[in-house]
Amino acid sequence: MTQLLLEIFSEEIPARMQAGAARDLERMASERLKAAGLSWDALTTFAGPRRLTLVVEGLPVATPDREEEIKGPKVSAPEQALEGFLRKTGLTRDQLVERDGVLFAVISQKGRATADMIPAMVDEIVRGFPWPKSMRWGSGSLRWVRPIKRILCLFDDAIVPFAIDGIESGDVTEGHRFLGSGQPFGVADFEDYRKKLEQHYVLLDPADRRLRILEGAQRVCSDRGLALVDDDGLLDEVSGLAEWPTPILGDMDPQFLDLPPEVVRLSMKTHQKYFAVREPGREGLAPHFVVVANVEASDGGKALAAGNSRVLSARLNDARFFWDEDRKDGALLSWLEKLGGVTFHARLGTMWDRVQRIEALAGEIAPLVDADPTAARLAARYAKADLASSMVGEFPELQGIMGGYYLREAGEDADIADAVRDHYRPQGPADAVPTASLTVAVSLADKLDTLVGFFAIDEKPTGSKDPFALRRAALGVIRLVLENGVRLGLSEACFKSLNSRFRYTLDKSGVTDGEPYVNIYFQDEIVASIRLESESELKPQAEAVFHRYVEKEADGLLAFFADRLKVLLRDQGKRHDLVDAVFALGDDDLVRIVRRVEALEAFLATDDGANLLAGYKRASNILKAEEKKGPLPEGAVATDLPNQPAEEVALAAAVTTAATAVDAALQTEDFAAAMSALARLRAPVDAFFTAVMVNSDAPAERDNRLKLLGQVRAVMGRVADFGLIGG
């Protein structure tokens, strides 16, 4: 089996870039192999501290011969058309083939050796590689994340000769910088390459390095009766720092354990890349850490551990200084004053402006989650205070967390301190959702203020860009509402928040010309200037225009929530068209929407549901066709027409009964009962379409049947817009 092996060996690649580099190499290689007409059995990439590796199995030794037929002009076409076709194909008139009065060009292309195409492919990949940051070195023009030292390229066990910016390809690579032999070595193929790398203390696969770190760290902890504190993010990062990772257990000064554990862990992780350690069965941390070395020390790592312990002590001494400074009397109040000088966003005011908005909104949301409004406003007031603290200045990741600690130190109520600590949560799909009512109120207010503010200044997410994490904020609101059963009307909440941020003035300067305007402001900036229709009743008109503008903004925000909800439910295996069908009713209570979606999904999974959906679509198609001809007939459905089919009468009675049952079920939000009521329509609808012709020649019969189908559509439309459901 033919194999392509490519290694680009360089100085150290930052750990944070390695996973993306492996994906980019895979994508770029795949695209270029496909463009060359090559197929393969397997394509794998690896990224490590000093090398990017590509191995492709099952490549053909050459591309196949190709014959392409290109359709040309008709025989009777003008001479200019024929000349243009000949120039395009590079053929003469005698070389064209005529078939059914049309000329064709048959172009044969000989296959190319794969080895001949590899140099250009590698050159394109290297020169066009999308590193987040890159550099040049020496006198060359090539850019790479770090200086390239070697390029290894083998195809079918032979060197593929080429050079990029003076770096010639070969069959040689290097092992570990310190533990290896210090001499380059040659390889024959991928199996030999991987084996020799390990002999020279290099683990090629990041998964192998990750496993070695995890198992080694757990072992050195277990040997001392300790347990490793799990940290997948740090584990991924450290696996990109060492080619031959060796975990070592170190000791730290126990006096630092009186610092908040989050401070100790973050100081270890951020500055030193250490893992924290705990004692099994006990809360808090143990006075130890695990450092991952890139060497196997002759003394078992004692000197390394001691040196790292001294460095950690220096870091934690800095943290202790911040901790002591931040807890001085009056610090909290001084931080609130400082927030007035901190800009949140140039168009959204200061951080203190934001705190006041969150405080007001938290007070309004509090009753909806059974929280005390006064306590919610107080927690919201302190929620952002720690942004001005020394500790959060050093460790931004601890915002909120440190605020909770400082409030407890100041003797504040524990519930308020917890609300401040957790109000940023959930910060991602894997983060737990707060359940304490006070925390829920403040967290919702914080996220809604963010969303409303940035939507108001038209800083909405576009494509893959979301610089203000609005998608995450919206998902956080949805999860808070759903997992806590919060009955919050999103439209009203968004409208209230938007309405408080906008204002309008009536510009009468153009009244004499018949063009008075409403100027709508966001803060002190005009965001819209809308002309009124007439000069009469200017103020009511202006008020109406203003409200329509704000409602439009709120509708855009609600649509954004709908999209985020669809993403969440889709990840849970639910159909997005069912979400659309329920949202179309105009409901904005997320708890009720999800209950409807779940009931609708269960209903459509039954035979009655599937068949009734088909009946609905048939009825809807008939009504849509008739609506194009003119207005549909209105009024009550008659059940006493001459020679009226029994199936028509039966459906009319079933619709009336179903409407009553559906309304009663929706009133109590018993959506399963509403679906059961609709299910009873299935048989009479089927019987109606089997026995009755809707488009009767008799106008009275036709109008009556159209009214009946309209009632079927209407009663089903009270539950969901079935027209938006696929299938």
Side-chain angles (χ1 to χ4, degrees), residues 355-373:
V355 166
Q356 290 177 302
R357 293 193 301 265
I358 296 173
E359 183 179 342
L361 189 54
E364 290 191 28
I365 293 174
L368 302 176
V369 296
D370 296 326
D372 176 52

Side-chain angles (χ1 to χ4, degrees), residues 575 577-578 580-581 600 603-604 608-627 681-682 685-686 688-689 694 706 709-710 712-714 716-717 720-727:
R575 292 165 45 180
D577 58 338
L578 303 189
D580 288 334
L600 185 59
F603 173 58
L604 293 175
D608 284 344
N611 287 324
L612 185 58
L613 176 61
Y616 173 92
K617 291 186 177 295
R618 184 174 178 183
S620 184
N621 289 336
I622 293 172
L623 292 171
K624 287 178 182 177
E626 293 300 321
E627 283 172 331
L681 284 176
R682 180 258 174 107
V685 166
D686 288 349
F688 175 83
F689 280 121
V694 177
L706 289 175
L709 293 184
V712 171
R713 183 171 67 176
M716 293 183 68
D721 186 342
F722 283 79
L724 297 177
I725 299 174

Side-chain angles (χ1 to χ4, degrees), residues 518-549:
V518 174
N519 295 322
I520 299 176
Y521 293 79
F522 180 81
Q523 299 191 165
D524 294 326
E525 175 186 357
I526 293 181
V527 292
S529 188
I530 304 170
R531 184 172 65 86
L532 296 181
E533 297 175 357
S534 68
E535 297 180 30
S536 62
E537 298 184 340
L538 293 181
K539 188 168 179 58
Q541 279 193 64
E543 188 77 18
V545 167
F546 174 67
H547 278 283
R548 282 199 298 272
Y549 180 88

Side-chain angles (χ1 to χ4, degrees), residues 637-700:
V637 174
T639 57
D640 56 354
L641 295 177
N643 301 315
Q644 189 171 20
E647 291 82 2
E648 184 177 339
V649 175
L651 180 57
V655 169
T656 301
T657 301
T660 302
V662 166
D663 287 345
L666 294 180
Q667 190 71 28
T668 59
E669 298 188 8
D670 188 348
F671 301 114
M675 300 301 167
S676 296
L678 291 185
R680 291 192 285 273
L681 284 176
R682 180 258 174 107
V685 166
D686 288 349
F688 175 83
F689 280 121
T690 300
V692 179
M693 179 180 292
V694 177
N695 286 315
S696 170
D697 294 334

